[in-house]
Every structure is written in C-alpha cells, then in structure tokens.
Amino acid sequence: MISSLHAAQRLDSRGNPTVQVELTTEKVPSGASTGTHEAVELRDGDDSAYGGRGVKRAVSNIENVIGPELVMSDFRVDTDQKKIDHFLKALDGTKNKAKLGANAILGVSMACARAGAAHSGVALYEFIRREAGGKKPFVIPVPFFNVINGGVHSGNSMAFQETMIAPIGVASMAEAVQMGSEVYQHLKKVIVENFGSAAIGIGDEGGFVPPISEPHEALDLLVQAVSSAGYSGKIKFAIDPASSEFFREGKYGLGFKKSPNIKTPKELMVLYESLLEKYPIILLEDPFAENDWDSWTEFNKVCLVELVGDDLLVTNTEYVKMARSKNACNAMLLKINQIGTISEAIEAANLAYSYNWGVFVSHRSGETTDDFIADLVVGLRTGHIKSDAPCRGERIVKYNRLMDIEAEILGDGEKCLFAGSQFKNAIKC
Ligand code: PGA
Ligand code: ZN
C-alpha cells in the first residue's frame, strides 16, 4: 500500500524544470523518478519563472490530487502496476494527459514501478520483464551513442539532429562502452585536427557540434574516428535527422539554420539511399516528418535497414497501428514520456513486437540522472538503446547502470546475452 507521495520541482540537464516524485510504502521508501519534457507535459506558462517552463502545477497535481487518491486506494505496488496506471489515466480523463500532465503521471507511474520491484524483492528490470510477460534469458542492449549533435540540439548549421555509433561487433556491454568511449575520444582529436580546438564544444546530448552542415561530413568524421581507434568493421552507424523539425509546406529545408537547401521528399530519399550505400548505416530514425506518411510508406518499400518511427509513433498504440496499416516503418522508438505511463509503454512495445518490428528505447534530450530506462530496455529485451554520447552525467548514468545489470545477472549465475548484431530481433534471442 502507498503511504505517501510527494513531488518537487527540480532541474533537468538543460536547466529546465522537471518533476521529481518520492513515493513511500509501508514497507520501503522508493526512489525518486522524473518525467522530462514533451508536448503533453504540463508547464506553468508563467513567464516570470523559468520563462514559463516551470512545473509547479504538475507538482501540485501530484501533491493534491494524485497523492491523496493513491494513498486512500488499496492498490499494491508489487502486483497492481497496470491497475495503478489505468487509474492514473482515468483520473486525468483526457486523451493526452493534458489535465494532470504527463510529467506528473509518468513520475508517479515510474515511482510505483520502482517501489513494486523493491516490494517484490527483485531488480527493476526483472519487475518490468514480469509486467511485460517477457521471457529469459536477459538480453543486454547495444548502446547507440549520439556523438555528433545537430538540429535543435546544437548551434551549428547541421540539419540532421543525431549521428550515432553502434558497437555491434562485441560480446558485452562493458566492451561496447569501452569502444564507444574510445571512438568518442578519437573523434575529439579528429575534430581538432580538422577544425581547431574551438570546435570541441558539445550539444544537448553530449555529442560534438563541429562546424559542418552536411550529413556526409558528419559520417566522414565518424569513419576517421572509428578507423583511428582501430575498430573499423566492429562499429556501425545510425542517423536520426528528426526531420519534422525542418519540414515546411511539403518540403525539407536541409539548410536549417543558414542557406535554404530545400529538398523534395523524393530528393531526400535519394540522399538517404546514397548515404546508406556509402556508409555502414544500420538504422534510420524519423527520416521523414510525422505527417509525411506517404514518404514513409514509399521509402519503407526499398529501405533495407531498420526504419524507426519516433515523432511518427509517439509510443502510442493508435499510431503504431496506423503505421502498420500504412506499412510506414519497421520499428518503434520507445520514449516513456511520450505516452505517460509504464504500462502503456509496455503495451506499445508488445504491439510492435507482434508486428515483428524492432523496439528502440530512448532517453530525451532534456534528461536527468534517473536511470530507469536502463532497466526498462533489459526488462523489455529490446536489444538497443540510445542514451547518447558517452559523456555527461545524465547520459552515462544509463550506460553505467547497464554495465551493473550485466555484471549482476552474470554474478547471479544467470544467462545474459549481448544483443550485438541481433539488436533488432533481440526479442527472439
Ligand atoms: P528529443 O530528441 O528528446 O529532443 O525529442 C530525441 C529524438 O528525437 O530522438
Ligand atoms: Zn528521434
């Protein structure tokens, strides 16, 4: 039973407010969890504090509405996660959690899951595995490190938001982290050699922000860094252009922050095809805008790599079903604060699996040092995660937790696979 629920306004990695939740049960106090930014998150809109981005209304909704209701209820955190999440959804009553705020609801949902795991005497990843109805052995995901930042996460003129490295040619998380980190350090040297030491600043997700604008320039830098680190062939690449951000009136403005460089969807498709041919790219996320469904469907017919819907699907079963009916992609990005409860995120993942799709777990660009998604990715067996560069506390805390999980499972004498080249179909391992 839940004995108290408290919330507070704290800061995320961008210095914007986010929600911290502290939940206590009669047996154990449980961890603090946070929800970060999203369209459905409740912001105060009071320009005199944090430029209107304060979350005091969401905090008040937890303190004065959700908390008293949950404390009065007879929900058990160890067995009733789905019931609790359903209750939270109903208490809000809107389609997009706009009344109480997805930031308020998610923080509570996460805190309940942590408390549920503690009450059950199991690790959070095991609690999530049981909630999802998943099987064993546990699969440790391939970490996708976003080492070059662009788009709205940076101040350079690169339209593409994320250029990632994925160490698939290793056998463990510990090796993957080492490889990612070493390539990151080599990339820093390559950037200094090419652009001087003033160019090693980093963006919102800890990746470098060199003064480049074309995707092939970013990929060429990665090729050099991987080669000088001695890992050619063991590391593949992935791109998230986050193209909704530069889609205007049916066209894509790749000049983004400087010259127009407008491309039609067809021209953009040609660009992707040439990049896929030239570089070892294994995953493409949001290559087209969230409402440009026809381009998604057309590209999915010819695209041979994992095609992930982020803005397109928003971790929502309604959109996942729509994408399936339009044959628009073959994988879902999973961001828990896009949907607002743990149970609904699990439901979306299971639906994607039922279509034989991949599921790619993701952090947000505005993050905290909460490591919940590391347990989530193992519990759901999704086989890959992006928490961005191996740099900055709010990014590395997820990778460090994954190394802990890997060591813990092996230490318990249990079988534990590293997804490696099976990252897309890890659920079937
Ligand atoms: P966001 O970026 O957290 O700013 O939405 C991440 C992404 O697009 O995958
Ligand atoms: Zn994305």
Side-chain angles (χ1 to χ4, degrees), residues 1-2 69-70 73-77 79-80 83-84 87:
M1 306 268 271
I2 296 165
E69 290 276 356
L70 279 186
S73 75
D74 51 10
F75 290 129
R76 294 177 52 135
V77 286
T79 53
D80 294 342
K83 283 188 198 157
I84 292 170
F87 175 80

Side-chain angles (χ1 to χ4, degrees), residues 254-316:
L254 266 73
F256 202 52
K257 302 160 201 164
K258 52 166 208 182
S259 63
N261 191 8
I262 305 291
K263 290 208 186 299
T264 63
K266 185 79 215 157
E267 287 165 343
L268 188 58
M269 258 176 243
V270 171
L271 172 66
Y272 290 136
E273 276 164 11
S274 73
L275 295 175
L276 291 175
E277 206 176 288
K278 184 162 178 212
Y279 301 97
I281 295 169
I282 53 173
L283 180 154
L284 199 48
E285 176 185 326
D286 277 3
F288 302 100
E290 59 206 347
N291 47 7
D292 188 10
W293 286 93
D294 291 347
S295 300
W296 278 91
T297 301
E298 199 179 328
F299 192 62
N300 194 28
K301 286 182 195 143
V302 293
C303 180
L304 297 174
V305 302
E306 186 172 17
L307 192 55
V308 184
D310 170 9
D311 292 356
L312 186 77
L313 307 176
V314 290
T315 318
N316 185 321

Side-chain angles (χ1 to χ4, degrees), residues 14 36-38 146 152-153 161-162 164 204-205 240-242 245 285-286 310-311 333 335 337-338 362-367 386 388 395:
R14 283 200 189 99
T36 50
H37 73 94
E38 252 281 273
N146 175 16
V152 294
H153 295 163
Q161 185 177 281
E162 301 172 16
M164 297 171 256
D204 280 356
E205 300 193 336
D240 176 9
E245 298 294 334
E285 176 185 326
D286 277 3
D310 170 9
D311 292 356
L333 196 77
K335 286 171 170 167
N337 72 337
Q338 278 182 332
S362 171
H363 69 148
R364 299 307 305 245
S365 53
E367 263 292 335
K386 65 170 185 176
D388 290 304
R395 312 293 150 190

Side-chain angles (χ1 to χ4, degrees), residues 4 22 27 49 61 68 78 103 123 130 136 141 186 240 249-250 255 261 291 351 370 421:
S4 73
E22 195 181 319
K27 194 170 160 196
N61 286 341
D78 51 348
N103 42 353
R130 292 178 188 177
K136 289 189 182 176
H186 278 269
D240 176 9
E249 295 163 5
N261 191 8
N291 47 7
L351 180 65
D370 186 287
S421 58

